[in-house]
Amino acid sequence: MSSMRLTGTPSWLSIRRRAAVPHCGDTGLGDRPGPARRIWAIGGGKGGIGKSFLAVNLATVAARTGCRVLLVDADLGGANLHTCLGMRSGDRVNLSDYLQDRVVDLEKAAIETPVPGLRLIMGTLGHTGTAETSREQREHLFQAVSELPVDIVVFDLAAGASRATLDFFLETDEGVLMATPEPTSIENVYAFLRGAFYRRLARAMSTSPIRDLVRDAMDRRNECGIRTPIDLLQEIDRIDGDEGSRFRQVLHEFRPRLVVNQVRNSEEVKLGFSIRSVCRKFFGIDVEYVGYINFDDSVWRSMKECRPLVLAYPQSDAALYVRRIVSKMLGT
Ligand SMILES: Nc1ncnc2c1ncn2[C@@H]1O[C@H](COP(=O)(O)OP(=O)(O)OP(=O)(O)O)[C@@H](O)[C@H]1O
Ligand SMILES: [Mg+2]
């Protein structure tokens, strides 16, 4: 299906063609000295739904506003951001080199891309490195990333909800969940969200009996009848009020963003609102629906040409929707 303009969409999602994308200085980031200020991660569970496409294009738009942007290909084992940017992996330094101490300075792994202002830390393809990372390695990486002199870091995550992927999602300031209007993708997004929330919660609880309770609750067939975070909160409140307060804090701070991709009609646009309501009602989690992207032939054309959509087809509808998501994320 070729590109199309969606009609009947909610007013806050209406397209505004911008004469120019705002400069990074307009975001309030440009004039603040110091290291990485915003760290985004694109996840969502299911494979092949457009996570890498979004990561590359968000990063490109942000770089075009004048921000110093770093893309990190955290899809270890299935890395392909370099290809999306028209680069060859060759024998360049990649994330595995850093994780396995072959490169000590992370900055050396951040290579220039054809997009001015955008650097990339390449991931690895299965045969050239390992897809496994330990918790210590991930923490070390996050520490190093947050010290780099850049404005925005964008992590592209692997499919699935492995511990490593959930940790990458949780460590960032802003995790973006991506879903497409298909039952399998929607199911995966809920599973991912649930896994991420419980993982974050288990870390926040300070007493081990409560941590055990959280771990039990993660098993949907747990015997204490806990089905949702709300059930769990009631149980924790009953046992330990302080831990209950910590739980509320986690609920309050956990605010993933949501993007619905490959939308074909205005009905599908509403999926984002349904997911948001379900998360609120059953999980007590506030998800922010930051926008959707239509199904657009320009996307796969740009992927085939190994160029970011926003540069290859800047006037396409999908490029407009991507730019609008960046504006929303940057609050401009
Ligand atoms: N909005 C869209 N319109 C049309 N095609 C799209 C759109 N978004 C993504 N695609 C297509 O979907 C395919 C998969 O995209 P991408 O590689 O970004 O997915 P992914 O979620 O990163 O997959 P993986 O989990 O395997 O890394 C690409 O071929 C791309 O062209
Ligand atoms: Mg990908």
Side-chain angles (χ1 to χ4, degrees):
M1 187 176 164
S2 61
S3 80
M4 58 164 189
R5 184 67 45 81
L6 297 168
T7 53
T9 53
S11 59
W12 68 269
L13 287 175
S14 65
I15 305 171
R16 266 176 303 167
R17 280 182 188 269
R18 287 178 176 275
V21 203
H23 188 271
C24 197
D26 299 338
T27 67
L29 297 172
D31 50 1
R32 272 197 273 151
R37 294 125 185 183
R38 302 279 290 267
I39 307 184
W40 300 344
I42 319 296
K46 191 163 160 41
I49 56 170
K51 299 182 296 298
S52 300
F53 150 69
L54 183 65
V56 165
N57 282 280
L58 289 187
T60 302
V61 172
R64 301 270 291 176
T65 68
C67 294
R68 296 162 304 167
V69 184
L70 174 68
L71 248 180
V72 183
D73 197 334
D75 188 348
L76 293 166
N80 49 25
L81 289 188
H82 55 278
T83 310
C84 299
L85 285 160
M87 300 161 70
R88 288 177 188 276
S89 64
D91 54 3
R92 297 191 207 219
V93 176
N94 62 43
L95 190 52
S96 281
D97 293 320
Y98 177 76
L99 292 170
Q100 291 164 19
D101 292 331
R102 287 191 293 266
V103 169
V104 180
D105 182 0
L106 185 61
E107 185 125 37
K108 294 220 164 71
I111 55 178
E112 299 292 336
T113 72
V115 180
L118 175 61
R119 288 191 292 164
L120 168 69
I121 297 184
M122 291 199 314
T124 54
L125 289 161
H127 60 283
T128 52
T130 172
E132 304 295 324
T133 53
S134 68
R135 176 123 179 233
E136 290 70 36
Q137 282 175 317
R138 294 192 290 273
E139 281 171 359
H140 191 64
L141 172 68
F142 268 99
Q143 183 60 37
V145 161
S146 63
E147 286 166 7
L148 289 176
V150 292
D151 299 308
I152 297 175
V153 181
V154 183
F155 275 83
D156 178 35
L157 305 185
S162 69
R163 260 186 235 166
T165 302
L166 293 179
D167 278 354
F168 280 131
F169 188 81
L170 289 174
E171 289 289 344
T172 56
D173 311 318
E174 291 151 276
V176 179
L177 293 162
M178 179 172 257
T180 59
E182 289 165 18
T184 45
S185 166
I186 298 165
E187 192 175 24
N188 282 14
V189 121
Y190 286 129
F192 187 93
L193 192 67
R194 191 174 182 279
F197 176 72
Y198 279 116
R199 191 155 172 80
R200 172 134 173 193
L201 193 60
R203 282 203 224 153
M205 297 293 108
S206 57
T207 62
S208 51
I210 299 289
R211 272 202 297 267
D212 291 345
L213 186 64
V214 174
R215 224 159 275 135
D216 287 348
M218 286 176 78
D219 178 357
R220 282 169 192 270
R221 289 159 300 175
N222 65 78
E223 286 167 6
C224 34
I226 294 171
R227 296 282 171 266
T228 69
I230 307 292
D231 293 342
L232 178 61
L233 174 59
Q234 281 166 358
E235 183 64 11
I236 293 177
D237 262 340
R238 204 179 55 75
I239 302 170
D240 184 332
D242 288 344
E243 291 282 55
S245 304
R246 270 189 279 280
F247 189 120
R248 281 191 186 77
Q249 187 64 23
V250 172
L251 260 184
H252 178 70
E253 287 168 1
F254 189 62
R255 247 186 102 82
R257 269 87 171 152
L258 173 70
V259 169
V260 179
N261 189 26
Q262 303 189 20
V263 163
R264 287 178 165 85
N265 55 51
S266 51
E267 235 0 80
E268 292 180 347
V269 171
K270 294 182 193 154
L271 171 67
F273 297 107
S274 320
I275 293 178
R276 194 179 68 176
S277 311
V278 169
C279 290
R280 181 95 203 88
K281 188 166 172 196
F282 296 106
F283 297 157
I285 295 170
D286 273 324
V287 170
E288 189 189 351
Y289 184 20
V290 287
Y292 61 85
I293 303 164
N294 60 318
F295 184 92
D296 191 331
D297 286 344
S298 310
V299 175
W300 63 258
R301 264 192 218 114
S302 70
M303 296 285 262
K304 252 175 110 174
E305 292 166 18
C306 302
R307 291 164 71 202
L309 170 86
V310 291
L311 300 183
Y313 300 98
Q315 296 308 319
S316 65
D317 283 352
L320 288 175
Y321 290 105
V322 169
R323 287 202 288 271
R324 199 184 49 203
I325 290 168
V326 175
S327 289
K328 198 146 183 13
M329 301 263 308
L330 289 175
T332 55

